[in-house]
Amino acid sequence: MLTATRSETPATEQRAQSWRARARDEGMATAEYAVATLAACGFAGLLVVILRSDEVRALLFGIIQRALNLG
């Protein structure tokens, strides 16, 4: 950690520490986006597999048919 020199005021040192803290956290945001993207892709893949099954397709078709026949 850098210490304040005579020419630096405490406020200047505080801003520098704040900047260093934000710089360290920038990589975390990227990693969090990567994990969320992988989770979303996995969930989408799971939905594709589920919706391709004949049972689920028939169930969804029946729900849509009943909804359209009510009107």
Side-chain angles (χ1 to χ4, degrees), residues 9-45:
T9 64
T12 304
E13 178 61 23
Q14 189 176 19
R15 281 193 301 268
Q17 287 176 357
S18 175
W19 180 81
R20 286 191 294 270
R22 279 182 296 193
R24 281 193 308 265
D25 290 341
E26 285 179 0
M28 288 301 296
T30 303
E32 290 166 358
Y33 286 129
V35 170
T37 301
L38 286 174
C41 289
F43 186 67

Side-chain angles (χ1 to χ4, degrees), residues 52-70:
R52 281 189 175 178
S53 71
D54 291 333
E55 296 85 11
V56 173
R57 198 178 283 174
L59 178 68
L60 290 174
F61 186 72
I63 291 171
I64 293 170
Q65 230 178 2
R66 277 184 269 138
L68 293 175
N69 288 333
L70 290 178

